[in-house]
Amino acid sequence: MAKLEIKKYGEPVLRKKATAVSEITEDIKKLAVDMLETMYAAPGAGLAAAQVGVSLRLCVIDVSPDQKSPLVMINPKVIAGDNEVSAKEGCLSFPGCYESVKRFGNVVAEYIDLKGKKRKIKSEEWFLSKAIQHEIDHLDAKLFIDYLSEWKRKTIEKEIKRRKKAGQW
Ligand code: ZN
């Protein structure tokens, strides 16, 4: 296992649409394990491959308080959603930034697990639903700040610029 470096906002890989995983190789399995370790250490509730510099459709999620319910999703897709809720969220690529984003509170998503089995997850827990949508967005190069008003996004970008200059990003 190895902890990976988390790419922060500004890294081009975060704005690159990820490629589907075609085969679950040993490298993919290792990547998933390393991503989980990286996410737990951060700590965070979700991490997409792009956030560790790998442009593949793979993400890991664990919203349990004891970090014992890892979910590895390969080529995931949201197939249904309803009951929109607005709640604050953050992103490991935006340390210290939290903003309200409106997303489905209930979602159904399809994905492939590490054994290559096709799976479906139905979430009626808003925090998990939010994490699933947030991570799948990463695979499509979409970031949570894209949901904010222009004014809010600009404010965040300004703050990041300031922190970059100060060597804190
Ligand atoms: Zn994120």
Side-chain angles (χ1 to χ4, degrees):
M1 296 219 291
K3 224 174 86 185
L4 308 167
E5 187 206 332
I6 297 177
K7 305 286 179 193
K8 291 191 193 128
Y9 180 60
E11 295 267 1
V13 68
L14 294 173
R15 285 301 193 187
K16 201 173 154 200
K17 203 170 147 74
T19 312
V21 174
S22 55
E23 195 191 340
I24 297 155
T25 58
E26 287 308 308
D27 281 352
I28 292 288
K29 287 180 195 166
K30 186 179 181 307
L31 175 65
V33 169
D34 288 347
M35 280 172 60
L36 279 168
E37 189 188 344
T38 306
M39 175 185 78
Y40 288 139
L47 188 68
Q51 292 180 278
V52 293
V54 181
S55 196
L56 285 175
R57 302 187 79 80
L58 188 159
C59 61
V60 297
I61 292 172
D62 191 344
V63 298
S64 70
D66 55 0
Q67 304 190 326
K68 277 183 183 152
S69 308
L71 182 63
V72 176
M73 301 174 101
I74 297 167
N75 302 337
K77 203 163 65 180
V78 172
I79 55 168
D82 65 12
N83 187 27
E84 279 192 320
V85 283
S86 203
K88 282 227 168 178
E89 69 184 69
C91 176
L92 290 176
S93 296
F94 290 80
C97 302
Y98 300 91
E99 288 295 337
S100 244
V101 176
K102 198 191 230 182
R103 296 191 189 268
F104 295 130
N106 303 333
V107 291
V108 182
E110 274 179 356
Y111 65 98
I112 311 275
D113 70 13
L114 276 179
K115 289 184 177 134
K117 207 174 155 213
K118 204 173 166 180
R119 300 260 200 172
K120 199 184 261 188
I121 182 168
K122 191 174 170 194
S123 164
E124 287 176 342
E125 188 195 332
W126 70 267
F127 191 67
L128 174 60
S129 300
K130 198 182 220 337
I132 291 171
Q133 292 163 88
H134 178 117
E135 297 316 324
I136 293 179
D137 269 357
H138 271 298
L139 312 183
D140 291 317
K142 194 163 184 177
L143 303 171
F144 84 112
I145 56 163
D146 300 347
Y147 291 92
L148 308 178
S149 67
E150 202 184 332
W151 177 79
K152 265 199 179 146
R153 207 171 52 239
K154 288 241 165 86
T155 308
I156 288 186
E157 276 170 358
K158 239 187 246 165
E159 166 67 11
I160 290 172
K161 227 183 215 170
R162 191 192 63 76
R163 283 207 246 161
K164 263 186 192 162
K165 251 190 205 155
Q168 295 163 340
W169 190 259

